[in-house]
Amino acid sequence: MAMATKIPARIPPSLLARSLSSASSIAEKLPKASSPASPAIDLSDTQRLFASVPTASLLHSLANLSAMAAGPLVDVGVAVLRAALASEGQLLRAAAIGVARATVHRHFCAGDGFEDAGRAVTGMWEEQGLRSILDYGMEDAEDSAACDRNLAGFLRTVEMASSLPPSSASVCIKITAICPISLLERVSDLLRWEQQDPTLRLPWKTNSIPVLCDSSPLYLTRSAPDPLTEMEECDLQLASQRLSKICEQCTEANIPLLIDAEYTSVQPAIDYFTYSAAVQFNHGNHPIVFGTIQAYLRDSKERMVNAVKAAEHEGVSLGVKLVRGAYITRETKLASSLGAPSPIHPSIQETHNCFNSCASFMLEKVRRGSGAVMLATHNVRSGQIAAEKATELGIGRVDRKLQFAQLMGMADGLTYGLRNAGFQVSKYVPFGPVEQVMPYLLRRAEENRGLLCTTTVDRQLIRKEILRRLATAVAWTT
């Protein structure tokens, strides 16, 4: 693939000056390979890492990541966008949407519609050798009508994915988009109370894979909930049918379906839906349905181990997407309001340790032919550890049961490093109109403050490559 070496004239000199500052010590700060004999991810050769990325795209990424790494700027920007979108003033709202489209939407999303997303996926597959995880950005349905509209969008996403190059895409959904939030809260309360009182009978419950453990935040349900009403049971059945329709279409097209994790107040119900679908559709060696484990939660390892063992007992191949987590502020505030300890690990290092431990456990299962894992991480060290562990266990790098993933617009150096090492790597690709995906975009902007370590590496790698290209361009003109 050809690589652009000339700096486009349309890039303002002031942007170059700001973006390339503090570059003299980059080489010393970049992650080093752990040892020549290991399959460590090599991030030192930026020419190879970014060979398929035009210089203008690198500059755009560097400018966006630098802006979003500035905490006060992010706080002000998020507050202004939220206020503008809530405003009844059409001009103000239009201006906010325009700003979002030109910044976070362009950086983190694949466009407004299905055609935009299809072109992005095909381009990443053909030009960069990367898979995509398509997420039609819909969240938090309030009623059945909204759930049905969201279902139609998800089904169209699967249909679009099936028309793309084989193996180039999977699909991601949120249960909160196909089941009303109020019902998910009610089901989660009942599941938490069942964990505290095993004699409780839940007549609507259809599988035995556990969704909670004794270390889970059971304090969220402090008294016995009322049973589901007849109408609630009917709505629960409708939500289950919606998920089954998506799973059936994914099964027919052989497209993996990734179900996102969300906040702890509704996560038990989400896991219940996920594992019920896994029992129904995960037959054979390659699971269709993947649940998500958030390693920043204290109970994540215990819940994951219990679920995997129960699935093995039932002959179900469990797919696990492992992430760190995305609702730190919300979880901390909720626990504090209840006078309870946070369900999140007290330090980032404990979260790293939990992620690496969970990854190791799942890699051992993959080696034994049980289940599959997608390791969604922006942490270079976690990527190196997992890559080395997979090679040590003899897991083939083209084995579909092991994949890595990063968000579109973030951790590109790690993405390309894993790809160059021969592993299967996907980018998480949200798409949809700006107004529709705004909850995702605002959360990305807010979360980026907690990912400064990762974005620092990203920015260093990009700066290094831009400087190399600039030096090359200057040398060619002299």
Side-chain angles (χ1 to χ4, degrees), residues 16 98 115 134 154 204 207 213 302 329 364 423 426 464 472:
L16 273 175
E115 290 185 3
L134 284 163
F154 286 141
W204 42 265
N207 78 79
C213 61
E302 184 180 359
T329 301
E364 292 279 1
F423 291 100
S426 294
K464 180 182 178 183
T472 300

Side-chain angles (χ1 to χ4, degrees), residues 29-343:
K29 295 179 181 178
L30 293 176
K32 301 294 192 298
S34 56
S35 72
S38 78
I41 306 159
D42 181 11
L43 304 187
S44 61
D45 186 354
T46 58
Q47 180 176 3
R48 185 176 177 223
L49 277 181
F50 298 110
S52 59
V53 185
T55 302
S57 296
L58 289 177
L59 284 168
H60 184 267
S61 294
L62 181 57
N64 273 331
L65 291 174
S66 297
M68 284 183 284
L73 181 61
V74 172
D75 291 341
V76 171
V78 168
V80 170
L81 281 174
R82 287 194 190 279
L85 290 169
S87 170
E88 295 182 2
Q90 293 300 314
L91 288 177
L92 183 59
R93 183 178 176 83
I97 290 174
V99 170
R101 183 187 303 280
T103 54
V104 287
H105 189 268
R106 179 182 172 187
H107 189 77
F108 291 120
C109 300
D112 286 335
F114 292 91
E115 290 185 3
D116 294 335
R119 283 192 295 269
V121 171
T122 301
M124 282 194 286
W125 176 254
E126 294 179 350
E127 298 169 16
Q128 301 177 347
L130 299 175
R131 291 171 163 79
S132 296
I133 303 168
L134 284 163
D135 179 11
Y136 188 42
M138 295 176 291
E139 303 185 36
D140 292 15
E142 297 297 334
D143 54 35
S144 290
C147 291
D148 289 336
R149 289 193 299 270
N150 291 343
L151 170 64
F154 286 141
L155 291 175
R156 189 176 174 191
T157 303
V158 178
E159 181 180 3
M160 185 260 287
S162 67
S163 70
L164 298 173
S167 301
S168 65
S170 53
V171 171
C172 182
I173 68 168
K174 287 180 168 58
I175 296 297
T176 50
I178 59 172
C179 182
I181 291 290
S182 58
L183 181 57
L184 290 172
E185 290 172 342
R186 289 274 288 122
V187 170
S188 294
D189 276 335
L190 287 162
L191 290 169
R192 277 189 290 265
W193 197 254
E194 181 195 37
Q195 181 69 26
Q196 299 175 69
D197 178 10
T199 65
L200 179 64
R201 181 176 174 273
L202 302 176
W204 42 265
K205 192 175 178 184
T206 60
N207 78 79
S208 59
I209 295 180
V211 300
L212 292 161
C213 61
D214 290 340
S215 62
S216 295
L218 304 178
Y219 56 77
L220 293 174
T221 305
R222 299 194 167 187
S223 60
D226 292 331
L228 294 184
T229 65
E230 184 176 341
M231 181 60 72
E232 286 174 327
E233 288 202 28
C234 179
D235 287 342
L236 184 65
Q237 182 64 26
L238 288 174
S240 179
Q241 290 171 0
R242 294 185 191 103
L243 179 56
S244 291
K245 286 181 181 179
I246 300 170
C247 292
E248 287 167 2
Q249 196 163 324
C250 285
T251 300
E252 290 173 5
N254 194 29
I255 293 174
L257 178 67
L258 311 173
I259 299 177
D260 268 350
E262 301 188 54
Y263 28 94
T264 54
S265 61
V266 296
Q267 191 58 43
I270 291 170
D271 286 339
Y272 170 74
F273 274 106
T274 301
Y275 296 150
S276 295
V279 169
Q280 185 177 357
F281 293 98
N282 285 6
H283 306 297
N285 292 327
H286 297 286
I288 290 292
V289 179
F290 282 68
T292 300
I293 295 293
Q294 299 179 102
Y296 73 168
L297 295 174
R298 296 171 186 258
D299 69 340
S300 56
K301 175 72 179 290
E302 184 180 359
R303 282 191 296 109
M304 185 191 72
V305 170
N306 291 346
V308 169
K309 289 182 177 178
E312 287 178 335
H313 181 73
E314 295 191 23
V316 175
S317 180
L318 202 62
V320 172
K321 175 164 69 84
L322 183 62
V323 304
R324 274 172 170 76
Y327 300 92
I328 295 176
T329 301
R330 180 176 186 139
E331 299 292 5
T332 302
K333 285 183 178 179
L334 177 59
S336 177
S337 71
L338 296 173
S342 172

Side-chain angles (χ1 to χ4, degrees), residues 422-439:
F423 291 100
Q424 297 188 59
V425 190
S426 294
K427 279 294 193 183
Y428 184 93
V429 181
F431 69 99
V434 177
E435 309 94 304
Q436 181 175 299
V437 299
M438 190 57 68

